[in-house]
Amino acid sequence: MAAFQYFKHNTSKAADLLGLSEEQRTKLMTPDRVLRAELTIPLDGGGTASFPAYRVQFNNRRGPYKGGIRFHPAADEDEVSALAAMMAIKCAVVGIPFGGGKGGVSVDPKKLSHTETHALAREYVKAFAEHFGPDIDVPAPDMATNPEIMDTMLAEYERIVGHKAPAMITGKSIGNGGILGRDTATADGAIIVLRALLKDQNVDASKLRAAIQGAGNAGAQAAKLLSDMGVSITALADSQGTLVVANGINVELACSIKEKEGSVCDAGTQMGDDSQILGTEAVITEPVEILVPAALEEQIHQGNAKDVKAGIVLEIANGPTTPEADEILAAQGVAVVPDVLANAGGVTVSYFEWLQNRSGETWTALQTSDRLEEIMNDAYRDVADFALFRGVTLREAAYALALSRILEE
Ligand code: NAD
């Protein structure tokens, strides 16, 4: 199923719960605007190259369109539209005043030099500048884009409009109006939600094991936070394979070895005799209580869902569970904390950056973490109560709550 079909599937189920009309459903599933451009940049070795680019403005009923820009070969209209739609849902789930947007350039970023990457960033802003602005559409980093690229995009935007506008984009470098804590916000938010769920279940974290797929920005930080909570991380996977240590992985060591050698699997020999290296998919079915997909989409599917042993799936990745797998997990009584709640800490702290830029204030790391804690806890409570009251899954509850909030505006 293509990415946008997942969104439609989840939205339809929630619309059924809310008893929405055909007209309301169509409105909620149709982007406001799909912008396309062909970006041409000079190449270092001479000549030029062109790349298709997209900005999808899905829905701004709750506030300016909000969502990252990715540089990735698979970025296309379907994928960018699905991600834009999910941003609208995500912002409504955590109750921040943004709508949904997303951008993408279909390019292999590994084939571009630093100069070419920044030229592409400037061309992207030139192509869509009239549609951006602090009250219109506020982009951010996503796959293969980073604070440095956001700084370049902001400089290009300010050059075009002729005035300062730091709140036009988030995820900037700290010296350029970025916010402390954005780099860890996604995992921080996910762990706040997990702690609230464990409290509801009356479960002691120190007796639990976790398997984590992905040791990048979000996965590595989640592994460290879980480990700090006393959870034993018995499996940690990256694109090279799954490191399994029955007595628990030394997460700091595994991540520092990944940084030096390229993979957590390179840490195997230093984790004792009981360490094993398995294939990348093995992490999904490891015998643990908590499974954290934090890498790619569609990792829990019809073929492996029935073998998931975890009782909790914390979706840090976007779209890691297919609709078929969702049904299998629900039938097995697994609590799936959906992506639109679990990974919403990132956009929440982006909202703080936007607020900071608009007010001219500088937030401390403590202000950010306190406010994030409050927002994520409130969002979890709303979703969990709705799920309990209506007898539905956390994903159905999150979508239904979000749709009702979007329709309220
Ligand atoms: P990242 O690129 O920093 O890390 C991705 C990790 O996944 C890497 O460790 C990579 O080795 C691993 N990986 C790739 N293929 C794999 C495979 N087949 N099996 C196991 N591991 C594999 O990315 P990130 O920023 O940590 O994002 C991870 C996920 O979280 C993505 O789905 C992203 O959309 C989602 N997300 C991230 C943020 C954020 O703020 N970083 C916010 C919202 C959602």
Side-chain angles (χ1 to χ4, degrees):
M1 207 189 271
F4 197 64
Q5 290 304 320
Y6 284 2
F7 162 74
K8 281 191 164 173
H9 171 89
N10 291 327
T11 301
S12 290
K13 283 182 95 174
D16 290 345
L17 264 180
L18 297 171
L20 300 186
S21 67
E22 272 313 310
E23 195 191 338
Q24 286 172 312
R25 288 166 194 253
T26 307
K27 208 167 204 165
L28 288 163
M29 292 188 207
T30 311
D32 288 348
R33 208 165 288 106
V34 178
L35 304 165
R36 301 176 195 85
E38 192 75 10
L39 308 183
T40 302
I41 55 162
L43 297 175
D44 296 350
T48 59
S50 297
F51 305 98
Y54 310 90
R55 182 73 189 169
V56 176
Q57 297 183 324
F58 202 83
N59 170 324
N60 66 350
R61 291 179 75 146
R62 293 180 45 83
Y65 303 104
K66 182 87 192 86
I69 299 166
R70 57 175 56 180
F71 289 174
H72 193 270
D76 62 14
E77 198 174 308
D78 181 84
E79 183 188 73
V80 176
S81 298
L83 291 164
M86 278 177 68
M87 287 303 295
I89 299 291
K90 212 178 279 189
C91 293
V93 168
V94 284
I96 58 176
F98 283 137
K102 201 80 183 188
V105 181
S106 177
V107 58
D108 183 350
K110 293 194 189 104
K111 293 192 177 144
L112 296 183
S113 69
H114 182 268
T115 310
E116 291 163 347
T117 303
H118 284 257
L120 192 62
R122 283 191 295 275
E123 287 307 312
Y124 188 90
V125 173
K126 260 187 224 158
F128 303 124
E130 64 177 301
H131 301 282
F132 290 144
D135 293 312
I136 304 169
D137 184 345
V138 184
D142 198 76
M143 286 162 84
T145 56
N146 57 26
E148 204 193 354
I149 294 174
M150 296 305 105
D151 292 350
T152 295
M153 288 185 163
L154 175 61
E156 183 63 16
Y157 180 78
E158 290 180 336
R159 190 190 65 75
I160 293 167
V161 297
H163 58 81
K164 285 272 174 211
M168 164 266 165
I169 202 162
T170 61
K172 303 175 291 291
S173 64
I174 301 298
N176 196 35
I179 192 162
L180 290 167
R182 174 62 189 89
D183 49 346
T184 60
T186 300
D188 294 347
I191 299 302
I192 294 167
V193 171
L194 176 70
R195 279 204 313 263
L197 174 69
L198 292 175
K199 196 165 166 214
D200 271 1
Q201 294 185 342
N202 213 1
V203 170
D204 176 1
S206 68
K207 298 200 164 47
L208 304 180
R209 295 162 298 175
I212 302 172
Q213 185 191 44
N217 283 339
Q221 173 70 4
K224 284 174 196 160
L225 293 173
L226 283 167
S227 193
D228 291 348
M229 279 163 68
V231 175
S232 175
I233 314 298
T234 54
L236 181 59
D238 62 23
S239 58
Q240 303 305 304
T242 303
L243 170 65
V244 178
V245 182
N247 289 330
I249 293 168
N250 178 335
V251 172
E252 290 286 347
L253 181 62
C255 291
S256 75
I257 290 177
K258 179 179 167 66
E259 249 167 56
K260 277 185 241 135
E261 315 273 337
S263 171
V264 291
C265 297
D266 296 319
T269 51
Q270 297 186 44
M271 296 277 164
D273 293 342
D274 67 341
S275 78
Q276 280 178 282
I277 306 297
L278 304 178
T280 51
E281 272 225 10
V283 67
I284 302 295
T285 52
E286 276 297 297
V288 292
E289 287 70 41
I290 305 167
L291 171 62
V292 186
L296 306 170
E297 55 288 336
E298 299 185 1
Q299 295 301 295
I300 309 174
H301 47 72
Q302 204 161 13
N304 62 10
K306 66 175 188 333
D307 299 320
V308 167
K309 319 271 185 325
I312 296 174
V313 174
L314 184 66
E315 291 188 340
I316 289 185
N318 281 315
T321 311
T322 66
E324 297 80 20
D326 233 359
E327 281 182 18
I328 296 169
L329 295 178
Q332 286 172 192
V334 178
V336 178
V337 184
D339 45 12
V340 290
L341 170 64
N343 71 29
V347 70
T348 302
V349 173
S350 290
Y351 165 56
F352 301 160
E353 180 176 336
W354 180 81
L355 280 179
Q356 172 185 271
N357 296 150
R358 290 177 76 94
S359 64
E361 287 174 12
T362 303
W363 287 36
T364 63
L366 188 62
Q367 270 176 297
T368 299
S369 60
D370 282 354
R371 191 78 184 100
L372 179 66
E373 179 99 28
E374 200 178 335
I375 288 184
M376 296 306 296
N377 271 322
D378 287 353
Y380 167 75
R381 193 69 276 139
D382 289 348
V383 171
D385 286 352
F386 189 104
L388 191 66
F389 184 63
R390 298 292 299 265
V392 297
T393 66
L394 293 171
R395 191 183 319 278
E396 288 161 344
Y399 269 76
L401 264 179
L403 296 186
S404 60
R405 285 174 182 168
I406 292 168
L407 288 171
E408 260 168 31
E409 295 299 326

